[in-house]
Amino acid sequence: MRILHILDHSIPLHSGYTFRTLAILREQRALGWETHHITSAKQENCKVLEEDVDGLHFYRTPPAKGGLSTLPLFNQISIINTLATRLAEIVPLIRPDILHAHSPALNAIAALRVGSKHGIPVVYEVRAFWEDAAVDHGTSKEWGMRYRLTRGLETHAFKRVDAVTTICEGLRRDIVARGIPEQKVTVIPNAVDIERFSVGGTGDATLKQQLGLIGHRIIGFIGSFYAYEGLDLLLQAFPTILKAVPDARLLLVGGGPQDDNLKRLAAELGIQGKVVFTGRVPHDQVQRYYDLVDILAYPRHSMRLTELVTPLKPLEAMAQGRLLVASDVGGHKELIQDGKTGILFKAEDPLALASAVLQLLAEESRWPGLRNAARHFVETERNWPKSVSNYVALYSRLTGQGADHA
């Protein structure tokens, strides 16, 4: 089986998108399949047509030239056109059995153009609805013109590709609700590399001292500071936590668009001396910060993006047997069983968040059971070999080839 993966971006860039891609490629190759990879012109800081990164060969797509390619809407059209042109060059060389396009829909449209000419089935993998992410980033208005155009393009792709895959039930339900047959949509859930995570890591005393956290109970968040993550709610909840647990401290590891707003809010709440902002840390150092945290918080706001999409960070925490509290948005409820693998609290409610943290701090006898159940869930349900195995029947149906066909 020879698969050409068509991607928005890839390593050496680091993102949740690239980490999921790497996991899929690794497990597909373990099945004996041959994977090839191309990125659109949205790959940053790339001026070569081909390159090898960490043992994987990537075809790159040069950006369009000319003034029109920089204008709104026309720039999206140019991404489709340049990618379709590049695909037309490399598909005859690779002769893939499957064109597997990953979000956004621009990649699927380009794949459809080339796949139809060569009689190659196209799979479109939806990792999120990018129109909803654009609303949070402030580049689009919900149900505005750009939003509707992007959503329409997604639906157009769903109807024309041979199969749709997606990362969770929330997205699957939304896709089916657009009139797409249920049998056409397969869930390939987010997962973790269980071998990368161990239970029971202890905090680095030197790092703890450097951060001024010796002798404190630590509530933490590790990730990107996007508005939808709800870190404003975590800061609003923290004065209530401090009243009951004066030795508590808040550790925020990462950075992003909300960085300055969050620091300003901490100052307004008078808790800036109780909150540690580390800034972004190297990927190979993140585990040291996880090991400092007593309770991880995921206070996502309730909106279409968070109600439909499952995040990856809670799974990584569960793989380590970490204690966690999370808002009861749909994406979290797909991953976390309240009271068994973590604690869910009412979304948009800082007092409910504070209550969940305080309850967990006061009931240490529950901690071993929560930790063990979280780890067991990831080991049995959300590991990459099990997740990627869902491609076997799908690819076989589209190509008529068995799983062991290389």
Side-chain angles (χ1 to χ4, degrees):
M1 186 88 69
R2 188 179 295 119
I3 308 106
L4 175 56
H5 289 276
I6 304 163
L7 304 158
D8 181 77
H9 63 282
S10 74
I11 54 173
L13 303 178
H14 279 187
S15 68
Y17 188 102
T18 63
F19 296 149
R20 176 179 169 91
T21 299
L22 284 175
I24 290 170
L25 299 181
R26 182 187 64 240
E27 296 303 332
Q28 287 195 346
R29 290 182 165 209
L31 289 170
W33 296 343
E34 185 180 317
T35 68
H36 298 265
H37 332 96
I38 181 173
T39 54
S40 79
K42 292 170 70 177
Q43 178 77 11
E44 297 175 3
N45 302 319
C46 183
K47 297 181 180 179
V48 298
L49 290 178
E50 299 182 38
E51 66 177 329
D52 293 313
V53 185
D54 293 347
L56 295 170
H57 187 76
F58 290 92
Y59 294 91
R60 305 301 190 188
T61 302
K65 297 179 180 179
L68 281 178
S69 64
T70 63
L71 297 176
L73 182 59
F74 288 100
N75 59 352
Q76 305 301 300
I77 294 172
S78 73
I79 288 170
I80 296 173
N81 290 340
T82 54
L83 181 56
T85 298
R86 188 74 172 117
L87 281 169
E89 294 171 352
I90 66 172
V91 162
L93 302 176
I94 296 172
R95 298 169 60 192
D97 300 300
I98 295 277
L99 294 180
H100 188 139
H102 301 254
S103 289
L106 307 178
N107 297 339
I109 301 302
L112 282 165
R113 284 189 190 176
V114 178
S116 62
K117 292 180 180 179
H118 293 271
I120 305 172
V122 176
V123 175
Y124 177 32
E125 178 157 313
V126 183
R127 302 186 177 191
F129 294 141
W130 286 39
E131 63 270 25
D132 292 322
V135 170
D136 182 76
H137 296 162
T139 58
S140 179
K141 182 179 179 181
E142 189 165 2
W143 301 112
M145 180 61 72
R146 178 176 176 179
Y147 184 99
R148 293 199 302 272
L149 283 171
T150 305
R151 182 178 172 85
L153 192 63
E154 291 273 5
T155 304
H156 174 85
F158 297 154
K159 291 179 178 179
R160 285 159 179 78
V161 296
D162 297 279
V164 180
T165 67
T166 190
I167 67 170
C168 59
E169 286 297 324
L171 290 174
R172 186 195 67 81
R173 287 192 296 269
D174 190 279
I175 293 167
V176 170
R178 302 188 196 194
I180 308 304
E182 287 196 26
Q183 64 270 23
K184 190 176 181 178
V185 187
T186 303
V187 174
I188 313 288
N190 266 334
V192 296
D193 182 356
I194 201 70
E195 303 302 325
R196 285 184 52 230
F197 299 99
S198 59
V199 178
T202 56
D204 182 327
T206 300
L207 178 59
K208 206 169 190 178
Q209 186 172 27
Q210 289 173 352
L211 297 172
L213 295 174
I214 295 290
H216 295 288
R217 282 181 277 185
I218 302 169
I219 316 304
F221 173 88
I222 300 173
S224 297
F225 295 178
Y226 292 118
Y228 59 77
E229 295 292 3
L231 297 180
D232 55 327
L233 296 172
L234 181 55
L235 289 170
Q236 291 164 15
F238 205 60
T240 301
I241 295 171
L242 282 169
K243 287 180 183 178
V245 184
D247 67 336
R249 292 294 182 270
L250 188 56
L251 178 64
L252 301 180
V253 181
Q258 292 297 307
D259 207 333
D260 291 340
N261 291 340
L262 294 171
K263 291 175 181 176
R264 190 179 306 116
L265 178 58
E268 291 172 358
L269 293 168
I271 58 173
Q272 65 268 43
K274 316 292 184 182
V275 183
V276 177
F277 289 89
T278 68
R280 297 186 187 276
V281 301
H283 185 68
D284 61 0
Q285 295 295 308
V286 170
Q287 188 61 52
R288 297 176 69 212
Y289 291 84
Y290 268 118
D291 290 341
L292 300 181
V293 178
D294 295 299
I295 298 174
L296 286 156
Y298 301 99
R300 286 189 155 195
H301 286 291
S302 176
M303 56 189 295
R304 268 184 55 84
L305 178 69
T306 60
E307 293 292 346
L308 294 178
V309 181
T310 52
L312 187 57
K313 291 298 181 183
L315 282 178
E316 293 180 350
M318 295 164 77
Q320 300 174 60
R322 300 287 175 185
L323 300 171
L324 57 89
V325 298
S327 58
D328 62 353
V329 295
H332 285 153
K333 289 194 287 189
E334 277 197 45
L335 301 178
I336 301 162
Q337 188 173 347
D338 186 30
K340 181 176 180 181
T341 59
I343 305 297
L344 296 175
F345 61 86
K346 185 179 179 182
E348 308 297 346
D349 189 341
L351 289 179
L353 168 52
S355 177
V357 170
L358 292 173
Q359 180 183 3
L360 201 49
L361 286 173
E363 299 178 347
E364 290 193 32
S365 61
R366 299 179 63 191
W367 292 9
L370 288 166
R371 286 171 167 154
N372 291 336
R375 172 72 181 191
H376 179 73
F377 170 74
V378 175
E379 286 180 338
T380 57
E381 299 296 329
R382 290 305 180 97
N383 59 81
W384 279 118
K386 180 169 183 176
S387 183
V388 171
S389 70
N390 290 294
Y391 289 118
V392 174
L394 171 64
Y395 284 177
S396 297
R397 174 171 58 82
L398 294 177
T399 65
Q401 299 179 11
D404 58 350
H405 186 94

